[in-house]
Amino acid sequence: GLLDKIAVLGDEETCCGDPVRRIGEESRFQEIVLTNKSLFEKYGVKKLITICPHGYNVFKNEYPSFGVKLEVYHHSQIIQRLVEEGKIAVRPGDELLTIHDPCYLARYNKVVEPPRRVLVKLGPVKEPPRSGEKTFCCGAGGGNYWYDVPEEKRISHIRFEELVATGAKTIVTLCPFCNAMLSDAKRTKESPVAVKDLAEVVAEKMQ
């Protein structure tokens, strides 16, 4: 019942600019910020929901210095609110879940509880050794998504092995970058363990 209250930018939507800033393209980043600023002003955007912790971090913490002030929410925060308010009804299962916390959500912005408060309603949850504010990177941060270090074990593979070692049947992600990195590790290792975004898991469990 919320779709009539939420707008999307569609073809006008552009990147938040986080990746280019991380690899040192500051001037390009500022161009993107100013483009987004004019777009937000055009439509009177005051609140923003993003599924990407990189976007969450940059919109929340870095855009204000360019005069862009928004209420920024990660989709896990919105899902938690909808579940706890009873607007989304979910059914519990018995399949073991584990959670991978993204760096920009948990380590930098301390958003740890919302996804857990949702997951405990869906089934048993087993935490990996490194989780919450002390999570371990998926390997994509700082622009690493676009290049590889030859003859080095991929960070995504190290993290995937940690998550699989919990015995979980599903790894729950909260970030498109994390999802892509861990899904690649899953394919490489031919693992039967599923990698899914929190929203996918909730959608599957909706009554």
Side-chain angles (χ1 to χ4, degrees):
L2 294 177
L3 290 181
D4 58 341
K5 300 178 182 177
I6 295 175
V8 293
L9 292 171
D11 291 341
E12 293 186 85
E13 184 170 314
T14 60
C15 181
C16 65
D18 170 82
V20 294
R21 182 170 238 191
R22 300 302 164 233
I23 62 174
E25 292 285 351
E26 181 63 23
S27 61
R28 179 70 185 118
F29 169 71
Q30 294 191 19
E31 287 177 15
I32 292 172
V33 172
L34 295 177
T35 298
N36 282 327
K37 180 180 181 181
S38 64
L39 194 62
F40 296 157
E41 289 173 349
K42 175 183 176 182
Y43 292 110
V45 176
K46 303 295 182 187
K47 299 180 181 180
L48 188 148
I49 303 170
T50 176
I51 67 167
C52 179
H54 295 251
Y56 177 86
N57 180 69
V58 78
F59 283 129
K60 184 179 178 71
N61 300 319
E62 298 179 13
Y63 269 52
S65 64
F66 295 90
V68 182
K69 294 184 179 179
L70 301 164
E71 279 185 48
V72 185
Y73 300 94
H74 184 256
H75 77 312
S76 65
Q77 296 171 312
I78 300 299
I79 292 171
Q80 176 211 340
R81 182 186 303 174
L82 295 175
V83 169
E84 293 184 350
E85 290 177 353
K87 292 177 180 174
I88 290 179
V90 293
R91 62 182 186 278
D94 54 10
E95 185 178 275
L96 185 63
L97 306 168
T98 191
I99 185 169
H100 169 70
D101 292 285
C103 295
Y104 275 107
L105 196 63
R107 284 168 58 191
Y108 294 110
N109 288 288
K110 317 302 183 191
V111 179
V112 172
E113 288 304 311
R116 285 165 172 79
R117 286 169 63 167
V118 174
L119 286 183
V120 294
K121 296 179 182 295
L122 304 180
V125 180
K126 177 76 180 293
E127 297 272 358
R130 294 185 272 193
S131 64
E133 293 180 28
K134 297 187 181 297
T135 188
F136 185 66
C137 185
C138 72
N144 286 291
Y145 182 82
W146 288 277
Y147 64 87
D148 207 5
V149 180
E151 299 178 10
E152 291 286 342
K153 187 172 184 179
R154 292 180 177 176
I155 293 173
S156 59
H157 290 193
I158 295 171
R159 183 55 168 168
F160 184 78
E161 290 168 3
E162 285 186 357
L163 294 162
V164 169
T166 64
K169 299 296 184 184
T170 300
I171 296 169
V172 180
T173 64
L174 306 162
C175 169
F177 286 102
C178 296
N179 193 298
M181 297 297 280
L182 294 173
S183 293
D184 178 69
K186 165 190 163 66
R187 283 190 295 270
T188 302
K189 294 178 175 295
E190 299 180 341
S191 172
V193 175
V195 178
K196 297 178 182 178
D197 185 84
L198 174 68
E200 293 179 285
V201 179
V202 170
E204 290 171 0
K205 298 286 189 180
M206 284 176 64
Q207 293 182 2

